[in-house]
Amino acid sequence: MQNQRQYRDKIASFLLTSSLLSFTLCFFGPLNLFIGNILEIPLLLSEIWFWFLGVSIIFAALLFVLQYIISLKLSWQRVNAVFMGISILFWIQGNFLVWKYGSGVLDGQAINWSLYHKYGIFDSIFWLVVFLVFCLKYRQISRWGKQLSTLILLIQSITLAINIFQMPEVQAEEKRRVIDGTYKYSFSNEKNVIIFVLDTLQTDVFQEIIEEDAELKKSFDGFTYFRNALGGYPTTYPSIPLILTGQYYDNSIPVRQFVKETYLANSLPKTFKENGFRVELYPHVNKTIYMSEEIASNIKLETTKRTASLDNIKQLYKLALFRYTPHYLKRYFSDIDIVIKNRNDFKEDDLTFAKNMSSKAKNDSNENVFKFIHLKGAHAPYNLDENLQERDLGSGRNAYKTQAKAAIKITSIFLNKLKEIGVYDNSLIVIASDHGSSGFKIENTELNMNIPSVKNDDLKTFTSYVSSLATLLIKPFDSVGEMQISDAPVSTADIAHTVVNLSGVGNRVPGIDIFELTENTDRTRRFFYYSWTHDYWEKEFLPPMTEFHVDGFSWLFSSWKNTGMEYRQNGNKVVPPVYKYNSIVEFGRTGNASSYMQIGWSAPEEEFTWSSGITTTLSVPLESADEDIIFTATVTPLLHGNLKNQRVSIYIGNDLIDTWNVTATGEYSIHINKRFIENSTLLLTFYFHDAATPEELGINNDKRMLALAFRSFYISKANSTE
């Protein structure tokens, strides 16, 4: 009888422990992560849960058999305690020891593992101690092992149920809407309105390229190039709605609600559809439009049932293992592509678009057509050269410019084909970028001399704002002649109103007609800057946004003014707090530096924030500015191989204040004369002579241009410290 009871205890313990380990890694982990990314993945919970359940049951059965076989030679209590210890360690790691790795796994940036050794040390010690406890105290643990396994399974079940209950309301129909590409290359013999977006194409680089290549420039006959154009944001998500609706997003409502409401109101797609046009939208990222038949003719409700693929499941399991494994194992699961593509959506890369345009484009439609086409353009990674050959171009401005030239060549192919099929003249065409790049300095100084009032000194520190420098060209209907250049103060927010006016379909879309502006127009334009990370695709709101006003030519540092206004979620507007002398301001995820950080920063990490690009800026309101001050920062340089130091020039406006030669982590100071402090605000720009990407240094695949990791700063009055 006692032997039977022990056997039943053994079997029950093995079953519970096997289930705990299997369901933690194979069911609860990936399902919770799926729910956390549910808006990104074009699948329904009902379509994938059984995959994870099936795998969990099979894996649990294998673990049960493995425990049983091992117990034939060792004490079953010891075997069960070891397996239970491993199960609990995975559970604790995935739910409590969730370390932050900066812009790593889901942001397309490689993790700089050398910065996080402390996580590995802690995880290793913790796992070793817990494992030894379960090995040595196996008799005591076996007495309450079944209850503990049951409790943890119950906790995970309740947690999953809560997450399912609280997950965003995603209707099946919403996830079933797909882009239909049947008529992408069909154009109207009556009237075409085309919005053609080249992602990340910076306007000064566009000018460089067309001045260097006369044949490319000829492709843009009938166009006006608005060289002084300004984008609204540094990244794609809000920039495309701004182009198509003329409406700025300011974090006052959830971004998806904003997208839906503005597109269903007076957007370009809705307006043209109401006016009898066949409206076709081909976004680079579906989230930038509202997927509805109400605004586009080529958005369809998928009729065939979609099922998860093995690759979908594999990616979710990799993400789960990244979260649940200790630090030194995570790197083996860090190559994750969680943006699982909708298999039934119409998607093309830029090169395929160029080939299809050349071979498939036809003038065969009797109805008016509105098309929005968004290509990858000059966006990283840079892998398309000027001859339209696919190869790894590396990183840096030369690689960026090469891919930009490829994007312009594809645009030339597109325009020349429109001419060939006889629809160029009867087409209103807008060629735009959603924003500029980030951190690539304006270098074409010989071209800058053709810009009114431009001094090279005014461009010297102007690299932080280049993400605003969107390219914009417009060809009205029947416009002919050599491409014209206008320096009128225009914005991508004006595109929608201009297109509506030129097309004669009404004027309800907000904005200003670009062609009514002259180079002498006195106008203040808006730009909202923020530090972007991939996870904001899934969040309700965008990062806190700092508002800038631009009065004058957008390329010039002197045209920019920081309003000091920060827009946070739910419409909260925050003015940076006045700095109190000698108080320490800390960077990083838990620091208080965000109110003072302006343009040129990466997303904050655990204890520091990297500079991003060639320059970065700080704006600090002071209690008073009645005497000289000393600014002191604690920084860590990016060093590797032959890169032994980071040279830094510090400017206020166009005045060089001081230089640093940063060779190691430490404090570095600047003495600042009071005459450089305007309106009691310290505005510092750091120019990095040796900024580089970890990829080009051979550290990892991180393509961010980094120089210094800022840890903290403080400001003191010079007379009280010298």
Side-chain angles (χ1 to χ4, degrees), residues 225-283:
Y225 167 36
F226 294 93
R227 185 170 52 179
N228 185 18
L230 186 78
Y233 305 89
T235 68
T236 297
Y237 201 171
S239 297
I240 296 303
L242 181 65
I243 289 172
L244 292 178
T245 72
Q247 299 271 19
Y248 284 94
Y249 175 71
D250 63 2
N251 264 343
S252 57
I253 61 174
V255 64
R256 295 307 303 163
Q257 179 185 343
F258 170 82
V259 168
K260 179 179 180 179
E261 290 178 358
T262 54
Y263 275 93
L264 289 177
N266 299 320
S267 66
L268 285 182
K270 184 74 180 297
T271 299
F272 279 96
K273 198 165 192 299
E274 289 176 345
N275 280 272
F277 280 66
R278 187 179 80 222
V279 174
E280 300 171 43
L281 305 181
Y282 301 100

Side-chain angles (χ1 to χ4, degrees), residues 436-447:
S437 63
S438 57
F440 294 138
K441 185 179 179 181
I442 299 174
E443 293 185 350
N444 52 334
T445 53
E446 69 282 359
L447 297 176

Side-chain angles (χ1 to χ4, degrees), residues 279-333:
V279 174
E280 300 171 43
L281 305 181
Y282 301 100
H284 186 58
V285 181
N286 285 6
K287 282 178 180 288
T288 59
I289 66 170
Y290 179 57
M291 295 282 288
S292 170
E293 301 92 327
E294 293 182 64
I295 68 164
S297 312
N298 70 322
I299 294 179
K300 307 291 185 182
L301 191 64
E302 191 179 39
T303 56
T304 57
K305 182 176 176 61
R306 189 186 307 151
T307 57
S309 68
L310 287 175
D311 187 61
N312 299 159
I313 303 304
K314 174 185 174 183
Q315 296 302 324
L316 285 167
Y317 271 133
K318 284 176 70 176
L319 183 58
L321 288 170
F322 179 86
R323 179 157 178 160
Y324 280 79
T325 54
H327 173 82
Y328 289 124
L329 293 180
K330 290 184 187 296
R331 66 177 64 209
Y332 299 106
F333 308 106

